[in-house]
């Protein structure tokens, strides 16, 4: 604990400090900062949804593939669109059905996962053959306009089942004209889809959400703009009293290195640094806080091999 704030900190109990910082973390988690690559994903998925609404009854539906490394904001983009659509949806309707691909990696798990996403009771009752009609009927009853299979890379866990899983989705949902489908996941999801060329031919779009590159001028500008908005948002939310200068190159460059340009990691690092600053009773985040956050969050997870904040100090 810093000497500058020791007298104030000594008056605060451990429990009250935990409450104060915990509430600040909750406010941080509630922050919604515009991140243009995610906004573009939301728009692309919604465009696919709208394009399918006017199709003839039972006409086959297309789809899209969103494959990017973990931590780039894929799931957050899906959740953002889901929130937007549910605002104007009729009660009981799910315009966007967000299905988390089961880890079992079998065709049997598909209708169960769909029924779970729809909130159906006892989604695993009955045989696979019986559950598929029930899943389709529930999708139609709930007015599903687009289906997103998230974490589709899990379908690669059983290589012999990968093609069968992708084919079942094509036949039961896309070719049957139920709704367009977006396949979302890390790089392994692409290998699953590549095994089914007849499905790949039906995909209209490849949606990009790659990590931001520091050596690309446009990406670097997006990265710095995101940091500026995040810095402002922490002050606006009353989490910190002062701006932390996250856009300064001495902070932005090592923050990019530690996060590999992935939005989730950026937020996790800044969140951890914010907690360090608040525990010390300071009004903003500094380089030492960020260095400590990288040591505690990134290094143990092998997100980076060394701390770029420490390297810049010659350590």
């Amino acid at each position: 604990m810093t000497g500058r704030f020791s007298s104030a900190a000594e008056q605060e109990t451990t429990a009250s400090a935990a409450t104060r910082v915990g509430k600040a973390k909750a406010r941080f988690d509630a922050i919604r900062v515009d991140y243009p690559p995610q906004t573009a994903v939301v728009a692309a998925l919604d465009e696919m949804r709208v394009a399918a609404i006017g199709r003839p009854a039972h006409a086959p539906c297309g789809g899209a593939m969103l494959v990017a490394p973990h931590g780039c904001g894929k799931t957050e983009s899906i959740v953002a669109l889901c929130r937007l659509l549910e605002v104007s949806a009729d009660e009981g309707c799910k315009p966007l059905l967000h299905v988390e691909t089961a880890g079992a990696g079998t065709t049997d798990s598909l209708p169960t996962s769909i029924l779970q996403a729809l909130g159906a009771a006892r989604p695993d009752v009955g045989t696979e053959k019986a559950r598929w009609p029930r899943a389709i009927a529930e999708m139609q009853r709930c007015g599903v306009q687009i289906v997103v299979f998230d974490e589709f890379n899990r379908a690669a866990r059983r290589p012999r089942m990968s093609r069968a899983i992708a084919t079942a989705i094509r036949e039961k949902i896309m070719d049957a004209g139920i709704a367009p489908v977006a396949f979302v996941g890390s790089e392994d999801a692409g290998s699953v889809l590549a095994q089914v060329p007849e499905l790949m031919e039906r995909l209209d779009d490849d949606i990009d959400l790659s990590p931001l590159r520091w050596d690309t001028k446009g990406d670097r500008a997006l990265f710095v703009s995101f940091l500026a908005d995040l810095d402002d948002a922490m002050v606006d939310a009353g989490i910190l009293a002062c701006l932390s200068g996250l856009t300064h190159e001495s902070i932005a460059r090592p923050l990019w290195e530690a996060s590999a340009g992935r939005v989730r990691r950026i937020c996790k690092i800044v969140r951890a640094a914010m907690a360090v600053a608040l525990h010390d009773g300071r009004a903003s985040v500094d380089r030492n806080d960020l260095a400590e956050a990288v040591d505690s969050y990134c290094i143990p997870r092998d997100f980076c091999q060394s701390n770029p904040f420490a390297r810049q100090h010659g350590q």
Side-chain angles (χ1 to χ4, degrees):
M1 187 171 292
T2 61
R4 289 175 296 165
F5 297 94
S6 58
S7 60
E10 287 169 358
Q11 298 174 14
E12 185 178 30
T13 66
T14 302
S16 61
T19 299
R20 176 173 58 84
V21 177
K23 289 181 177 179
K25 287 180 176 179
R27 290 198 296 274
F28 183 93
D29 293 341
I31 288 174
R32 293 291 178 268
V33 174
D34 181 48
Y35 180 56
Q38 283 185 339
T39 304
V41 170
V42 170
L45 290 174
D46 198 37
E47 184 177 309
M48 184 173 73
R49 176 190 69 86
V50 173
I53 291 176
R55 72 188 188 284
H58 308 298
C61 299
M65 178 171 64
L66 170 55
V67 174
H70 291 294
C72 290
K74 300 183 294 295
T75 297
E76 183 59 33
S77 300
I78 299 164
V79 172
L81 178 57
C82 198
R83 288 195 198 101
L84 288 172
L85 296 178
E86 287 182 351
V87 169
S88 57
D90 294 335
E91 185 176 354
C93 288
K94 284 185 176 290
L96 186 153
L97 183 62
H98 186 182
V99 181
E100 185 169 328
T101 307
T106 64
T107 56
D108 180 73
S109 65
L110 284 173
T112 300
S113 296
I114 291 170
L115 288 165
Q116 286 174 333
L118 289 164
R122 305 177 69 188
D124 56 349
V125 171
T127 64
E128 177 186 352
K129 186 176 181 180
R131 270 179 280 128
W132 265 116
R134 182 183 170 207
I136 297 302
E138 281 293 301
M139 288 171 63
Q140 293 174 320
R141 185 184 69 80
C142 292
V144 172
Q145 297 173 341
I146 179 172
V147 185
V148 177
F149 283 94
D150 201 2
E151 300 290 351
F152 196 68
N153 44 285
R154 292 174 180 170
R157 290 181 178 175
R158 292 189 178 185
R160 290 196 300 176
M161 293 298 298
S162 299
R163 181 181 176 87
I165 290 170
T167 299
I169 293 172
R170 173 181 63 81
E171 292 177 347
K172 303 288 187 181
I173 300 176
M174 299 171 69
D175 288 358
I178 305 303
V181 173
F183 298 90
V184 178
S186 62
E187 294 90 333
D188 286 344
S191 67
V192 175
L193 297 174
Q195 297 178 42
V196 195
E198 60 270 30
L199 172 58
M200 291 291 282
E201 290 175 358
R202 287 164 171 75
L203 300 183
D204 303 306
D205 300 294
D206 286 348
I207 304 173
D208 182 44
L209 193 56
S210 303
L212 296 176
R213 296 169 56 92
W214 186 264
D215 57 359
T216 301
K217 184 176 180 181
D219 279 10
R220 185 165 66 250
L222 286 174
F223 181 79
V224 172
S225 177
F226 178 75
L227 292 183
D229 289 344
L230 185 59
D231 207 351
D232 288 338
M234 287 191 290
V235 174
D236 292 343
I239 299 169
L240 296 172
C242 304
L243 293 174
S244 300
L246 298 182
T247 60
H248 194 282
E249 186 166 348
S250 66
I251 289 179
R253 176 64 184 264
L255 186 52
W256 172 82
E257 290 184 43
S259 67
R262 304 185 188 194
V263 65
R264 183 193 300 160
R265 294 182 190 175
I266 299 166
C267 293
K268 291 288 188 182
I269 294 167
V270 174
R271 183 183 189 269
M274 173 269 298
V276 174
L278 291 178
H279 274 297
D280 274 1
R282 286 179 282 109
S284 62
V285 167
D286 62 24
R287 283 180 51 89
N288 290 331
D289 300 327
L290 290 162
E292 187 170 335
V294 170
D295 279 339
S296 64
Y297 177 71
C298 295
I299 301 296
R301 294 167 173 80
D302 290 327
F303 292 158
C304 53
Q305 299 304 309
S306 62
N307 193 324
F309 289 98
R311 286 202 306 271
Q312 288 201 4
H313 279 136
Q315 298 176 3

